[in-house]
Amino acid sequence: MGFVNLFGRLRQQPPARVPTDTVVPLVELDPYYYYAVELLFRFDCVLDAHQLQQSLSQLMEIGNWRQLGGRLRRRESNSDYQFDLHVPAQFTEQRPAFIYRTFEWDGSIDDHPVATRIPRMTNSISVHSVRDDLAPLIGTADFPKTADDWIYSDYPGFFFQQINFHDATLLMTMFPHHLMDATGYGIFLDAWAAVLHGRINDIPPSRSYSNDLDPCNTLAEKVPPERYIWHRHLMSRFNSLVYTARTIWDNLAKKEDRVVCIPSWFVEQIRADALKALSTSQESAFVSESDVLVAWFSRLMLSAVNPSPSRSLMLVNAVDIRSTVLDDHQRTAYLMNLIFMSHTVLPISEVLSQPISHLASKIRAALISDRTAEQIQARIAWSKEVGRHPLIGPSDNFTCFITNWAKASLFSLDFSPAIVGERSSATPCTPSALLSYNDVQRITPSCCVVLGKDAESNWWMQWYLPKTAWKNVEKHLHPTSQSRCRKGV
């Protein structure tokens, strides 16, 4: 089957270039961004699909926001990483700025055999399987999912599917990671909501995707690569082989993603306990709620997966760099991928023997030291020498990738002006549930998406772990065990 796909793709040709398209040369695309990101929002109100589409169409006619409706094409140089956006001079029914499908279900969402399985927050920690259970709701099978799919089609990058029930709305959205990260998508959603609310003057100008205007172009020239904290920790060729072999072995187990819903009272308590524990040794101790959540579940994950305690845990945290290196980030919409990796490395034996507060403080310390302007500039300069994704740290790393979407404020998306019926538009209509469906290949033994904090201050996380580990996780998270989950904070 693979050979059939390969030779079929070799014979495939991209659509003919449209002479009136505006061509926007993109920065070299990182293969990590070649895939689509799919999200499912639940709103406990019925939304007018026409109003949502009209406001989105209006946004995509404003200045550089139009570039979001461009078609991805490989540059004529035929480089693996060089692509352009071909933006239609006019968006039409034949070449729309986005695809928007709508469906109606004649009944309550609670009566739908699939939609009723969407997680709901309770007063205790809960774990929910989502990918297989909710797959019938996701109608993107005929839509591009990777950069290679897009370049051989004339599809726009954005896809939306709305399902209205008598008492709720499901909105499935898909965006191309090659155009933006989660924070960028949050900026996009905020702008869409601003048009819907009639606040079009509040929409900031969007920075062009043109590689000539890439904000990272000048950053590499400011600080020498030798100043990067991890500069001296590049793995040797032999250690790289050892690490790769270990990672392949770790990844042999079948993975499964599940949503973990954590009520606000639990988060507040473990953070308070962590701050109290740290105050005995640190004068002005600080850890965020997400620091503590990641530390808490990472320890739980290690106990469930059970890697050798002699190995090292490496938490790789993807962090937004807009506020650190862009002076005009509050006046300009930087939608593109602007993330930087922060690394926390500790012996697994230390992580498991020390309290949660210990790992949480190490995560916070790494974030503080790694995402200074100097470190970001030095890392960009270093990448010119060693490539985009050098292997660093000990060769026995058990790697866990963390991407925190809390800053994107996806749970704050307010579509209240589009409410159908008697409900007051002054009442916010924000998501009550949020799920992620990412087809990215998981190259680390575990991965976590911190989806964010909802309107009731409850936290949502989505973890990708070996299927066999989830039984142990759920045993620890059983309601009768949750009082013990705080042990060792």
Side-chain angles (χ1 to χ4, degrees), residues 33 101 249 328 338 429:
Y33 303 141
R101 297 174 181 168
W249 176 260
D328 62 340
L338 289 169
C429 181

Side-chain angles (χ1 to χ4, degrees), residues 49-50 53 100-104 160-163:
H50 179 70
Q53 291 180 67
Y100 205 111
R101 297 174 181 168
T102 58
F103 300 92
E104 300 284 338
F160 304 87
Q161 177 173 288
Q162 180 174 339
I163 306 175

